[in-house]
Structures are given as structure tokens and as C-alpha cells.
Amino acid sequence: MIDTVLPLNLALVVPVWNDADGLARLLVQVRRLGVFSQIVVVDDGSDVQVKAPDITLIRHDTPQGAGPARNAGLKAVTASYVLFFDADDALTDEIRFLCADLAEAAPFDFCLFAHADSRVLSEARWGQTDWDQRLWEEAGCGGRALQEAMQLPVLAQTTNYPWNKIWRTAFLRDNDIGCGTTHVHQDMALHWHGMIAADRALVSDRICALHQVHGGAGRLTNAMGRSRLEVFAAFSPVVDVVAPAGPVWKAAFARYAPVLLDWIASRIDPMHLDELQQAEQDWLTATMVPWLADIAKIDPKAAEIIQSRLA
């Protein structure tokens, strides 16, 4: 627990599974930054139990997944705002300035901040991936340390990460917003539900995190077996909040979902590709076809893409 008066009453929630070294590295950095009033670590059934001083520690006896781990961490948060983070990523010093900015701007439901990506860094550049940056520009973001987010349906189409937003704790609880329970893509529910429910959202081009994309089968990003078919189960709670939100949100999700499905198809084990394609056809027929008229009013190209994938 930090004893000094902080500009923003902010908690950090970190799920961890068999990554004691990554957690230790992150906690050293977090303590140096000194912006968190509470640190919650959720040990999701690691083989060797996590130990760290001066944190709120939650232990799952068996692994439940990153989504349930984040949800368990949220329940333990006592701070006014919360940032979910991963043990294998890194914060930057910019988060100190963002917290000062946000303290003056509060209250807000969430703030989406810019991040750097190790794939971009490997090209001797600093910042987000090109596809996320294009969406930021389409939404009119960038060039300002803090601004009101006016184009949330566009920003919702950025990669659905859990660690690039600072949330108001009561906002998440009051709206029953949390992560899904699937093995992969459990962050979609948090991302889309939060975007749709927000009354006041902010965006900052301060790069406050470095996302490390690693190789290895133990990383969820690299899981390309049959578990990727869980994407359709992960879509379900998103559809539940998008459907009543109206045509603009339906069109946004109709643009987002095919991009994600193409990413999965390009990487999934070929032995599961036919099953993925059939599941996509079934899902589009059940979900997107009833929305086509609404989608076409807002984004005819998105409606054409859906129809072409069903042809």
C-alpha cells in the first residue's frame, strides 16, 4: 500500500499464472512509479503459489482463466479507479502524468490510453500497431494528452485489450461489467460492454504501457488450437449488449468481428480450419443476418462484407 497522497485513487489488478518472474519484475516497476493506492494480485492456480509483500493476494486453487481472475480481482478493489494489467507487459513513466491529468478530469467512466507494441518496437518505431492507429485517427484521437472520446463505436474496434484503460470501479460494478469466462477472447465482454455503457469516456495519446508479444505455447495470444473456436462463445455476451444499443453499434461490431475471425483463420492449426469456417457461417447466419438492414443503413460496406462471407 502506498502511503503518500496520490493524484488518482487507482488500484492495479494483475492476474498471474506460472509467471513469478514476470510478476516480480512488474511489481518492482509499479512500486517505483508510485501511482497505485492498491495492488491486487490474483494467483490463478500457479504450480508454485505466488508470494509478494504489501499486496492484496487472491489465490485460486486451480486455474480458472484470465477473465475470472480479473473479475475476482475487481471484487477486491477498494480504490475509486482500477487498471487491469498483465505480468508480462510493462508500464511507462507516462502513466504518472496521465494520473495527474485524470485527477483533474474526474469523474469519468473510463479512459483509453495509447500503448506501444513490441512488434512495432522491433521495427525501430514507438507506438501502437498500424491497424489500431488507423482507428484512433478515424475516431479523431491523437495529438492531445487528454480529450473526450466522441467516437466510441470506432474505438471499440481497436484490439480488445484489458490493460489500456483505466476504469471507474463503481461504473463497472453498477453496470455488471466484467470479463468473460472463455479460455481466449475473454476481454471482449469488458471492452464492448464498457464502451457501450459509458456516459463519459476519455482518451489519451500518452503511451502508458508497452505490450510485449512473446513466442511460446504458454501465451494466450499464441494459442491456435481448437480453443480458438471459443471465440463464438466469447461473442455471445457482446452480442447481448450490442443488439439493444442500436444500428451504429451493430455496424461497428459487424466491422470488427470479421477482422478478428480472419486473424484466427490465418493462424489456427489447419486441422481446425474447416470447423472454424462452418462455425463462422452458423454464427453469421444466426447473429448478423437479422441485423443486416440496420447495418446497411449505417455502413453499407460492412453489410456487403457480411453477405459476401455467407455467399
Side-chain angles (χ1 to χ4, degrees):
M1 188 70 66
I2 309 299
D3 294 329
T4 55
V5 176
L6 302 176
L8 190 72
N9 185 16
L10 178 62
L12 183 73
V13 171
V14 185
V16 63
W17 178 74
N18 288 346
D19 191 10
D21 291 343
L23 177 65
R25 174 201 53 77
L26 177 65
L27 290 179
V28 167
Q29 183 192 37
V30 165
R31 296 185 192 289
R32 177 183 62 80
L33 288 169
V35 296
F36 297 100
S37 58
Q38 183 185 17
I39 301 169
V40 180
V41 173
V42 183
D43 178 0
D44 192 36
S46 298
D47 295 337
V48 177
Q49 186 169 347
V50 166
K51 294 181 180 179
D54 302 324
I55 63 171
T56 300
L57 179 62
I58 299 169
R59 163 79 178 178
H60 290 165
D61 292 334
T62 58
Q64 299 180 26
R70 292 189 185 98
N71 293 341
L74 177 61
K75 290 180 181 179
V77 168
T78 58
S80 302
Y81 291 88
V82 59
L83 169 64
F84 299 104
F85 212 70
D86 289 344
D88 57 343
D89 290 328
L91 292 160
T92 76
D93 287 349
E94 283 292 301
I95 197 166
R96 291 172 167 168
F97 301 104
L98 178 60
C99 286
D101 294 340
L102 292 177
E104 294 185 6
F108 57 92
D109 293 327
F110 75 87
C111 175
L112 171 71
F113 57 79
H115 65 276
D117 187 287
S118 63
R119 291 165 291 188
V120 177
L121 187 60
S122 69
E123 300 172 355
R125 296 185 292 131
W126 179 248
Q128 306 181 124
T129 56
D130 290 342
W131 55 85
D132 276 349
Q133 191 59 40
R134 283 195 296 269
L135 288 165
W136 271 58
E137 292 170 2
E138 182 181 342
C141 302
R144 296 177 62 181
L146 194 65
Q147 66 184 91
E148 303 284 336
M150 304 303 294
Q151 296 291 331
L152 291 183
V154 175
L155 291 174
Q157 298 167 53
T158 58
T159 309
N160 291 184
Y161 293 127
W163 40 256
N164 60 353
K165 306 169 198 72
I166 290 176
W167 300 95
R168 185 166 58 87
T169 308
F171 165 71
L172 295 180
R173 290 175 176 160
D174 292 348
N175 290 280
D176 195 24
I177 298 172
C179 292
T181 58
T182 52
H183 178 66
V184 291
H185 306 296
Q186 68 284 131
D187 309 316
M188 271 197 291
L190 173 70
H191 180 96
W192 283 85
H193 195 176
M195 291 267 181
I196 290 170
D199 288 325
R200 185 177 185 229
L202 303 175
V203 63
S204 172
D205 69 353
R206 293 190 184 278
I207 296 177
C208 295
L210 170 60
H211 177 44
Q212 300 279 6
V213 180
H214 304 274
R219 305 292 179 179
L220 288 182
T221 301
N222 305 320
M224 287 300 160
R226 195 175 183 279
S227 65
R228 280 293 167 188
L229 294 170
E230 292 185 25
V231 64
F232 301 102
F235 279 157
S236 183
V238 179
V239 170
D240 288 345
V241 294
V242 168
V248 172
W249 283 101
K250 290 177 181 177
F253 193 57
R255 288 178 62 187
Y256 168 81
V259 173
L260 176 58
L261 292 171
D262 284 345
W263 177 81
I264 295 172
S266 70
R267 291 164 174 81
I268 197 169
D269 188 321
M271 69 183 295
H272 302 300
L273 186 56
D274 287 346
E275 187 178 3
L276 172 67
Q277 291 173 340
Q278 183 58 59
E280 176 183 338
Q281 291 285 305
D282 294 342
W283 182 79
L284 289 173
T285 300
T287 303
M288 290 292 171
V289 168
W291 292 0
L292 275 176
D294 281 345
I295 295 169
K297 293 175 184 177
I298 304 299
D299 192 337
K301 184 177 179 180
E304 289 174 7
I305 290 172
I306 298 299
Q307 290 175 313
S308 69
R309 295 174 83 99
L310 287 165

